[in-house]
Amino acid sequence: MDDASPPKWHLAHTTWFFETFVLGAFDASYRPYHERFEYLFNSYYNGVGRPYPRARRGALSRPTVAEIYDYRKHVDESMRALLNAHDETIQDRVALGLHHEQQHQELLVTDLKYNLGNNPLLPAYREDLAGTPGASAKRFPMSFVEHRGGLAEIGAVEGFCFDNEKPRHPVLLQPFELADRLVTNGEYLEFVFDGGYRNPDLWLSEGWSRISNAAGAAGSDDVNGQLPVEARLAPLYWYRDGDSWHEYRLSGASTLNLDAPVVHVSYYEADAFARWRDCRLPTEQEWEIAATGLPVTGNFMDADVLHPLPIQCSLQRGAQHGETPGRLAQLFGDVWEWTSSPYVAYPGFRTLDGTLGEYNGKFMSNQMVLRGGSCATPPGHVRPSYRNFFYPGDKWQFSGIRLARDL
Amino acid sequence: MDDASPPKWHLAHTTWFFETFVLGAFDASYRPYHERFEYLFNSYYNGVGRPYPRARRGALSRPTVAEIYDYRKHVDESMRALLNAHDETIQDRVALGLHHEQQHQELLVTDLKYNLGNNPLLPAYREDLAGTPGASAKRFPMSFVEHRGGLAEIGAVEGFCFDNEKPRHPVLLQPFELADRLVTNGEYLEFVFDGGYRNPDLWLSEGWSRISNAAGAAGSDDVNGQLPVEARLAPLYWYRDGDSWHEYRLSGASTLNLDAPVVHVSYYEADAFARWRDCRLPTEQEWEIAATGLPVTGNFMDADVLHPLPIQCSLQRGAQHGETPGRLAQLFGDVWEWTSSPYVAYPGFRTLDGTLGEYNGKFMSNQMVLRGGSCATPPGHVRPSYRNFFYPGDKWQFSGIRLARDL
Amino acid sequence: MDDASPPKWHLAHTTWFFETFVLGAFDASYRPYHERFEYLFNSYYNGVGRPYPRARRGALSRPTVAEIYDYRKHVDESMRALLNAHDETIQDRVALGLHHEQQHQELLVTDLKYNLGNNPLLPAYREDLAGTPGASAKRFPMSFVEHRGGLAEIGAVEGFCFDNEKPRHPVLLQPFELADRLVTNGEYLEFVFDGGYRNPDLWLSEGWSRISNAAGAAGSDDVNGQLPVEARLAPLYWYRDGDSWHEYRLSGASTLNLDAPVVHVSYYEADAFARWRDCRLPTEQEWEIAATGLPVTGNFMDADVLHPLPIQCSLQRGAQHGETPGRLAQLFGDVWEWTSSPYVAYPGFRTLDGTLGEYNGKFMSNQMVLRGGSCATPPGHVRPSYRNFFYPGDKWQFSGIRLARDL
Amino acid sequence: MDDASPPKWHLAHTTWFFETFVLGAFDASYRPYHERFEYLFNSYYNGVGRPYPRARRGALSRPTVAEIYDYRKHVDESMRALLNAHDETIQDRVALGLHHEQQHQELLVTDLKYNLGNNPLLPAYREDLAGTPGASAKRFPMSFVEHRGGLAEIGAVEGFCFDNEKPRHPVLLQPFELADRLVTNGEYLEFVFDGGYRNPDLWLSEGWSRISNAAGAAGSDDVNGQLPVEARLAPLYWYRDGDSWHEYRLSGASTLNLDAPVVHVSYYEADAFARWRDCRLPTEQEWEIAATGLPVTGNFMDADVLHPLPIQCSLQRGAQHGETPGRLAQLFGDVWEWTSSPYVAYPGFRTLDGTLGEYNGKFMSNQMVLRGGSCATPPGHVRPSYRNFFYPGDKWQFSGIRLARDL
């Protein structure tokens, strides 16, 4: 898949980000480590130059992983002097670079899962993850938490944030209610059994077109009982073996945990599921207002299991905490929650100056906002005002469903 | 282009709409005129059955035009008894069928223009249109009309409307101002001359990707000085001959009228132009609130010149009326105005019951709202609450630009 | 399908051929009828200029059929003076133009059949063809006619021929035998029933790849019991209705005539069928040597039924003549017979001078030779040395199968 | 490029070949090393099962290289007992496996060169190859060696051969002459300078279509002065820097050696070059008859530089030997020589029995024969009757040009 990059590319790209936007911007004596790395490791900044085609990143056998670590070490060392400079502009830029790197830490995990989960061997990322417990607690019944709507404010308040979270501004909401927990695998399986993928009334036109094509592709490629991942009329990484359902996780293939949150669904699937339940998805305004004031805690990427590897994720663990029905649970750190809001500018939105203005603003077409953060998100990276965005057909992120209803 | 259908298909499809959703629904004795017409002339109603592929409509040499007129005559006659029935449900359905037909009258004109405007002969649709005057009046300077923002209501009030215009609901707006007229060809040409198509800072990522590809395609297909339409880095139907610019109109090729409204631009172009002018596009809420209360008059498709042909359009005539600077002009009947609003459901939106629920709701992803109506729109078809929608890359509709700014 | 053009294009192109290569070459006073017709109606002569894209020919609503007849009339009249000139060079060129037009007469029929045969209405080309008898005579058992092989000569002898039939040259053949008649629909149906399309051992790799893809496409598009034509694992225009097989002919849909020659098969299908029968296809050398000396008579396009339409074909009539088993029958005028010979140059081959050198020579890659002529071929157009050529996947020509074996 | 596979895949596939066709066929007690390896490492044997898609081989991050070496070791050890069995059938099969592995040794080199040569860094395969001498000797003038033609025999005589080299059979040739050496880079550059890529008269239709598209693509992708490899109107791996021409070799980028044989040209390029020189390419019959009896020596992959890596190639070294003008030189071991012969069956051809019948026979459509062997071919692998075959557009093999003429 063109959207997924190999680990070493993420490693080089985040290094290049510091080299270009910190060293290149603030250290007049700095010389690029390699004249062609800008072409290879620029992701999408046209202001810097045309990037190497994304779809071919996987074919780059050079530089090697070792050479990229050398590059990284060189840039790290060059950064030291600047970090001690006590210059606020530089420190802000470094902070952006660190948050950028956190985003790529998550992408590295999702891309790696995509690569391994599409390998017919379904290899585990690490063997020692096999025992990682899933959500063992029985899921409590879904109930809905009411909100009166009315005038409120959304947008970043203080601390680090991306440009797309600003400016803070008033919004007007109709009364609504949100489900107190995420939709589970078990609930999604009911949708599958009820013919959810065969009923066009439930689907947006573009979603229906995709699953119609997938059904056709499945017909031709269903070999040895294993569907190609794209063609499954199910969440990504689900597959069926006779009457039982399985999913690929970073610990390898395992039986589908019916109580864990459903994950790796597209916006089209989330939207169709909600319609099947006579519900809808929340808007991003509703989500943010409901989440504001609640603690930003959850199943974030577990620092304990990171060592000695730079990054990993055991997922999907679901919420194993003693959460109380009737309060909003699983808002942060399990799955990114699809909202019904297209990703557009807030009133009065201004991009960052210069090339970094390309960071967020230029993607404001055809994508949908997701909120909350997933188990692959580094701890401390998200906040109630955080706006993630992906195309409505994307399934390789840890994306799930929370239901909403009009009151 | 897959989106454009031949005239006879529109004629048959609008007939099929009445046959299926009026005769088929309310006349128990009615038998379909031809058992395969449902397959051929169903546009996109999956509830009825899988439609004939849109991209192949142009290849249907049968039924002939004469056979389709026979079909139409048959359905018209079958409708007479029902029309006299004084049944409100039936009358509402007939009204929907008539508004549906008006939409296809406009599509017929835009599709026909696409076909002729891509023919290397650039043939006029009708020779007697050659003398149709363009906008001869000198364009007055653009000024902006202020709005205070605040709480207001949008959505359909009374009379016929589509489901997507409801329910009427409150919105909260920041202060803003709208340009008092449309952007002209002359103003857009300045954008071209200023390198607008070569500056990635002005473009959404997907727009930039399209024009980059178009530039490449132009390199390979630029034959005899005539670019393929898709590859022009300009509005659709513009072409350059040495130093002078021309455009294809239904009256044939003619010199570009610098004072007429620019038309046949994509959302990406409209958005880039606005950014180049340090402006933005209006939201659909802003547009509707500004337009509410103003007379719905303009350069609609001229009924006088329709006879004896069923449909035609002389366009693009621009606003030749004695409009006064400082008031909002050209809101209706010149061009559809791109808004910055993705096409999504209003709070509390409900689709029509049954298969007709597919009419509007299922297209609520990846499209943008346009407001106002064009010179190809039949008179009486639009209103301030009317929401048209197309993909951001679409250029073959009569789509243009009105600028907005934060106050 | 990109390869098929609308009737009016064939009409204009053959006219353009005379205008360009006769009038343009030999009448210094002649001026082109329309400056853009060269672009529109040039098929593939790069020496003349880049042609209008083949795939878009069907979208040209202008010039109209009437305008093309005017063009044709103008060129016909301009030709008169030249035709009386008694100049051998001119007469040779005119002869080439006439043979070229005969080729397009056949293509017009095959393209028209493709258009109508892919229309879900399966309309007859002409209603009065309905009664045209198929091959009613019971097919005699297939036997093989032996040839000793050895040294022989092939290539054009005298009279008009294309450049690719020359020079006449010696060939050396191993002993072989040819089937005394064509393979029938009934025999091909046995291959289908025996799982011919499911056994990779029978297929060339590229043929297998095509039918594997077709099988997948069928899964997704098989709606209302009607397969898309491309996806049928059967000859083009065959379709199944429950247990009975039908085929589309120019007279409309009809029950498959089991005794008629199988037609509209690809080279891959012909080759797989032959392998299934422990046979092979003949080489073009074998075919020509076997056919030399036999009368060039057969089911050619019937002049009697042409009037008043310019062209038609009742097909597939098969050989209804009192042919004798044990002699080679159906060599000419039923179907083009796939040979196992790739289309390459004869030893010492020279193309025509100038732009007309593009007529045949530049297609000498990736195509296969067919011999004999079909029921859509105008009478008098073929001869034993005639080399037709199409891509191995092409099915829309009247192409069939004659078996061969080593002795 | 879909045709190129990563080194570890070649390593696993050749191991799988022995596992399947030797151990699986002759050792009843053998159990497959891994149940999914058959799916992953089967190349194209449909008789074994549907293979993993070729285009995705590069995405397989598991099994790792180390795991594949374990697999290889296991199979090697399992082979030992069988190798001592003195069973002729087994020994023949092992011989086939070894020749198969030699073919993949060459493909490994060509695929590796393709990967590195498309990397913007143009990395050397091994730094110590940098000093490898190119052809330093001045090229002698090209002259032609005459052959009288007449009756002769071609095909394998004795020793190991593939099925497609049999049966030996008589052929009849017209008098011809062959160039006494290969076409050089310098000569090919003259073709480029003379507008060879801009003159449609020189090209087969499909070749012209390819280079027209390449020219267009170049327009859009020519970034930083570096054309994408596919778009170069030149041999693969050539690129221009201002006025000087360079080529990528396994030792890195270097100035084009004008006296070395031109390599990495397609059949279309070879054919166009020959036409430009008023020559043609030899048929495979002409080539084999001319080569028969000459010593099979040349610049084969140099065993001395293999150590300690399993495989490498310094190329393109050209013929540095003291070859004498007027005798045929460079027949073996420099480049594969495109012939004008499509790859088809010899008269009386029989495939191997069973699944191994897919080895060669099913590719007998749309490919062209190449003769001689290249500098990447393992020594001892080729012979005068050896028939290599690739698609006419393929350029990533070490393919070059020898001219021929009619006498």
Side-chain angles (χ1 to χ4, degrees), chain A residues 279-292:
Chain A
C279 292
R280 58 173 175 81
L281 300 177
T283 66
E284 65 167 324
Q285 290 80 14
E286 291 168 343
W287 195 97
E288 182 167 336
I289 282 165
T292 298

Side-chain angles (χ1 to χ4, degrees), chain D residues 8-194:
Chain D
K8 78 175 181 186
W9 188 90
H10 288 292
L11 201 60
H13 165 68
T14 52
T15 302
W16 169 84
F17 190 96
F18 283 113
E19 185 182 49
T20 303
F21 296 117
V22 179
L23 293 172
F26 301 110
D27 180 349
S29 68
Y30 186 78
R31 293 290 164 268
Y33 183 75
H34 191 294
E35 59 170 346
R36 301 294 285 162
F37 280 11
E38 179 160 290
Y39 175 52
L40 292 180
F41 302 125
N42 173 12
S43 52
Y44 54 66
Y45 296 89
N46 293 305
V48 172
R50 183 184 282 246
Y52 186 74
R54 170 182 279 223
R56 292 196 225 154
R57 288 175 188 165
L60 290 172
S61 59
R62 302 286 183 284
T64 62
V65 173
E67 288 165 346
I68 288 173
Y69 272 111
D70 287 344
Y71 172 42
R72 194 167 176 82
K73 191 176 165 200
H74 174 86
V75 168
D76 279 355
E77 286 168 3
S78 303
M79 290 282 294
R80 271 184 229 286
L82 278 180
L83 287 175
N84 295 326
H86 302 294
D87 175 313
E88 197 173 330
T89 309
I90 295 178
Q91 288 179 350
D92 284 353
R93 190 64 63 84
V94 171
L96 180 64
L98 292 171
H99 283 270
H100 173 260
E101 183 144 337
Q102 286 182 316
Q103 291 181 312
H104 279 275
Q105 286 170 354
E106 176 159 357
L107 287 171
L108 194 154
V109 173
T110 58
D111 293 2
L112 195 150
K113 182 172 181 180
Y114 189 84
N115 180 272
L116 298 178
N118 279 279
N119 186 317
L121 304 178
L122 295 179
Y125 169 61
R126 270 186 18 208
E127 295 301 333
D128 61 335
L129 298 176
T132 309
S136 57
K138 184 72 187 153
R139 184 62 48 221
F140 51 76
M142 186 184 291
S143 61
F144 283 78
V145 180
E146 296 190 7
H147 291 260
R148 285 167 302 174
L151 277 169
E153 283 207 336
I154 67 164
V157 187
E158 59 181 9
F160 176 85
C161 73
F162 290 114
D163 55 5
N164 61 14
E165 300 168 55
K166 295 194 293 188
R168 191 163 172 84
H169 62 284
V171 294
L172 178 64
L173 298 181
Q174 308 292 312
F176 68 98
E177 54 184 9
L178 289 189
D180 63 346
R181 62 164 173 80
L182 297 169
V183 170
T184 63
N185 286 326
E187 288 162 335
Y188 198 85
L189 202 53
E190 291 174 35
F191 168 74
V192 175
F193 289 158
D194 194 45

Side-chain angles (χ1 to χ4, degrees), chain C residues 44 46-47 50 151-152 169-172 174 200-201 203-208 212 267-268 275 280 340-344 347-350 354-355 358 361-368 391-392 406, chain D residues 44 46-47 50 151-152 169-172 174 200-201 203-208 212 267-268 275 280 340-344 347-350 354-355 358 361-368 391-392 406:
Chain C
Y44 55 64
N46 292 305
R50 183 185 282 245
L151 276 171
H169 62 284
V171 293
L172 178 64
Q174 307 292 312
D201 291 349
W203 294 81
L204 287 165
S205 178
E206 302 202 343
W208 183 251
S212 302
Y267 174 75
Y268 299 119
R275 191 168 292 115
R280 59 173 175 82
S340 65
S341 298
Y343 175 53
V344 293
F349 169 66
R350 287 285 170 271
T355 299
E358 298 187 48
K362 73 178 182 181
F363 299 109
M364 289 175 172
S365 63
N366 297 320
Q367 307 205 44
M368 302 302 288
Y391 287 97
D406 297 330
Chain D
Y44 54 66
N46 293 305
R50 183 184 282 246
L151 277 169
H169 62 284
V171 294
L172 178 64
Q174 308 292 312
D201 292 349
W203 293 81
L204 287 165
S205 177
E206 302 201 344
W208 182 250
S212 303
Y267 174 76
Y268 299 119
R275 192 167 291 116
R280 58 174 176 81
S340 64
S341 299
Y343 175 53
V344 294
F349 169 66
R350 288 285 170 270
T355 298
E358 299 186 49
K362 73 178 182 181
F363 299 110
M364 290 176 171
S365 64
N366 297 320
Q367 307 206 45
M368 303 301 290
Y391 287 97
D406 297 330

